[in-house]
């Protein structure tokens, strides 16, 4: 079963109980081991590939040398024939035949190295795809587990502090009220600011004994005495 | 990156916050550490931050299954799916019986990125509850 399906099944099936793991710790460890193994295989395959590619380059170089040598000797053979020196021409032809055998061998080696390197490249690509897939699946398992653990920690914290997550609408209402209160305070402060010149005039008038006067202890006492 | 680094950063921002909010962070200890981030004035909907091997998860709990008007459940889910892409940085999900919005960040994110994620998640939560109001009890 795919990890995706396992997670869905486990969550739906009630593995959502706090602390209950989606996939037991042992499977996670096996998974992690598989990832480490894959990584090791890829490293080895890459080392092999480097070696094969180096050998292939060497074979190609040698092949080119032999082919050049064949061409060179063909030239010599033609020159010998032109001079009517058949014996020398035969000697050169024998050399060419040796070189051709060697060229065929190098050609074969070259092709075999090319096939190996293609195979290794394909293998590495496949293993890397597999590794990415393992890692993605492990991330899914670990994230699911960590969300469950986080949720359980959050839930425990709320029950321990005797508070609970509020109903969504109530929460929003309270936040809006706070925001409105904040806005009102801001408005009131602005209003107060704009009223200041007036109030300073008021205090000047009061100091001069003009307009409504503040009640002082003395005035209260005077009033009581007059009763 | 760990939750204590994030907590220290957010708590000391005060007036310097690039996002214009004050934060109050409380670590919650458990099998994995979770940071409860409250934005001042929005304490009712905290953001929970947890860090795993390869990502930072920020989650805000929206409402429980019990708060959903059952006859409008399908419409609500469709609305949530439709809103999922337009909603900046966050996505909808369900954890146990709670609907949530969450954002996942790379473990290599900067503290400023995390701050922006938390604030955006909080803004999104408020807007979503406001907009989805008709589906809720």
């Amino acid at each position: 079963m795919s990890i995706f399906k396992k997670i869905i099944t486990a969550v739906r099936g009630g593995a959502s109980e706090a602390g209950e793991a989606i996939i037991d710790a042992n499977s996670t460890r096996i998974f992690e081991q598989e990832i480490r193994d894959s990584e090791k295989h890829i490293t080895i395959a890459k080392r092999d590939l480097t070696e094969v590619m180096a050998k292939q380059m060497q074979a190609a170089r040698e092949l080119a040398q032999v082919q050049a040598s064949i061409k060179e000797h063909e030239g010599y053979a033609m020159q010998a024939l032109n001079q009517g020196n058949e014996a020398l021409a035969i000697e050169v032809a024998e050399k060419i035949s040796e070189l051709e055998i060697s060229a065929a061998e190098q050609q074969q080696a070259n092709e075999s190295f090319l096939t190996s390197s293609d195979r290794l490249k394909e293998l590495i690509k496949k293993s890397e795809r597999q590794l990415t897939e393992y890692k993605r699946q492990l991330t899914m398992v670990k994230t699911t587990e960590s969300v469950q653990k986080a949720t359980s920690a959050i839930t425990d914290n709320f029950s321990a502090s005797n508070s609970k997550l509020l109903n969504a609408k109530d929460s929003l209402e309270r936040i809006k009220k706070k925001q409105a209160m904040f806005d009102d305070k801001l408005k009131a402060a602005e209003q107060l600011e704009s009223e200041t010149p007036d109030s300073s005039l008021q205090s000047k008038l009061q100091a001069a004994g003009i307009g409504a006067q503040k009640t002082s202890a003395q005035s209260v006492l005077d009033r009581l005495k007059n009763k | 990156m760990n939750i204590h680094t994030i907590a220290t950063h957010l708590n000391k921002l005060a007036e310097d916050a690039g996002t214009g909010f004050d934060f109050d962070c409380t670590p919650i200890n458990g099998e994995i550490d979770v940071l409860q981030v409250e934005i001042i004035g929005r304490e009712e909907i905290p953001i929970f931050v947890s860090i795993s091997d390869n990502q930072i998860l920020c989650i805000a709990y929206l409402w429980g299954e019990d708060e959903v008007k059952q006859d409008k459940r399908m419409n609500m889910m469709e609305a949530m799916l439709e809103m999922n892409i337009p909603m900046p940085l966050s996505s909808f999900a369900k954890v146990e019986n709670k609907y949530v919005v969450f954002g996942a960040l790379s473990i290599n994110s900067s503290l400023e990125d995390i701050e922006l994620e938390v604030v955006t998640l909080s803004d999104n939560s408020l807007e979503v509850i406001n907009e989805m109001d008709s589906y809720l009890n």
Side-chain angles (χ1 to χ4, degrees), chain A:
Chain A
M1 202 195 316
S2 79
I3 289 292
F4 200 81
K5 198 151 205 163
K6 264 189 196 169
I7 291 174
I8 291 176
T9 313
V11 172
R12 285 260 163 100
S16 47
E17 291 287 315
E20 192 173 337
I22 288 288
I23 287 163
D24 66 83
N26 201 31
S27 323
T28 311
R29 269 197 299 276
I30 291 170
F31 227 157
E32 283 169 331
Q33 186 58 45
E34 275 183 50
I35 288 174
R36 275 195 297 273
D37 286 349
S38 296
E39 278 170 338
K40 209 157 65 190
H41 288 151
I42 291 172
T43 313
I44 294 171
K46 277 186 174 164
R47 210 172 46 213
D48 289 351
L49 178 64
T50 318
E51 218 166 288
V52 170
M53 281 171 82
K55 280 184 181 161
Q56 184 269 324
M57 277 187 244
Q58 202 181 342
R61 212 168 29 239
E62 278 170 21
L63 178 64
Q65 275 171 5
V66 175
Q67 279 167 340
S69 189
I70 290 172
K71 271 219 166 70
E72 199 184 334
H73 282 83
E74 279 172 352
Y76 296 155
M78 288 306 283
Q79 282 177 36
L81 282 175
N82 287 344
Q83 286 176 5
N85 191 344
E86 192 126 343
L88 185 60
I90 285 181
E91 214 173 302
V92 177
E94 274 167 7
K95 176 69 181 169
I96 291 174
S97 136
E98 270 171 40
L99 285 171
E100 277 178 347
I101 291 167
S102 163
E105 280 170 6
Q106 290 296 346
Q107 179 76 39
Q108 207 180 353
N110 189 35
E111 275 166 16
S112 128
F113 287 137
L114 276 175
T115 317
S116 298
S117 83
D118 282 351
R119 197 177 48 81
L120 278 170
K121 277 181 194 165
E122 194 49 48
L123 186 75
I124 291 168
K125 229 192 270 175
K126 212 171 129 192
S127 303
E128 278 175 340
R129 271 201 301 271
Q130 180 73 62
L131 185 64
T132 314
E133 180 56 22
Y134 279 152
K135 282 185 175 167
R136 192 180 67 88
Q137 292 190 354
L138 188 65
T139 304
M140 279 168 68
V141 173
K142 285 197 159 175
T143 306
T144 312
E145 279 181 352
S146 93
V147 169
Q148 282 195 338
K149 282 174 189 164
T151 309
S152 125
I154 293 162
T155 316
D156 289 352
N157 180 63
F158 271 97
S159 47
S161 62
N162 268 337
S163 50
K164 69 183 192 76
L165 291 163
L166 286 166
N167 167 298
K169 277 187 168 179
D170 293 347
S171 297
L172 184 66
E173 212 44 56
R174 283 167 67 152
I175 292 170
K176 276 184 175 169
K177 264 189 197 148
K178 272 191 274 191
Q179 185 60 45
M181 171 90 87
F182 178 79
D183 290 345
D184 286 348
K185 274 187 188 164
L186 211 64
K187 223 178 275 170
E190 277 170 15
Q191 215 171 333
L192 210 60
E193 190 83 17
S194 65
E195 280 172 1
T196 310
D198 248 13
S199 59
S200 71
L201 177 65
Q202 205 70 46
S203 58
K204 275 183 201 160
L205 286 172
Q206 213 156 46
I210 304 167
Q213 295 296 302
K214 267 189 195 159
T215 318
S216 67
Q218 190 57 53
S219 67
V220 171
L221 202 62
D222 291 346
R223 198 179 68 224
L224 289 174
K225 275 183 185 164
N226 287 334
K227 270 194 177 174

Side-chain angles (χ1 to χ4, degrees), chain A residues 142 149 168-169 176 178, chain B residues 43-44 53 67 130 136:
Chain A
K142 285 197 159 175
K149 282 174 189 164
K169 277 187 168 179
K176 276 184 175 169
K178 272 191 274 191
Chain B
E43 290 83 351
E44 287 77 6
D53 289 351
E67 292 172 58
N130 208 22
L136 303 175

Side-chain angles (χ1 to χ4, degrees), chain B residues 49-99:
Chain B
V49 180
S50 67
I51 300 177
S52 66
D53 289 351
N54 46 18
Q55 61 180 354
I56 302 170
L57 273 179
C58 305
I59 300 179
Y61 289 80
L62 295 173
W63 53 77
E65 192 66 78
D66 54 342
E67 292 172 58
V68 179
K69 285 180 184 161
Q70 284 307 303
D71 57 325
K72 299 211 168 144
R73 193 165 174 267
M74 281 307 290
N75 301 1
M76 179 193 81
M77 288 185 176
E78 212 172 328
M80 288 168 103
L81 277 178
E82 281 164 358
M83 219 173 148
N84 226 7
I85 292 182
M87 186 166 57
L89 301 183
S90 321
S91 310
F92 286 111
K94 202 178 170 197
V95 177
E96 293 172 13
N97 61 351
K98 290 259 182 210
Y99 291 87

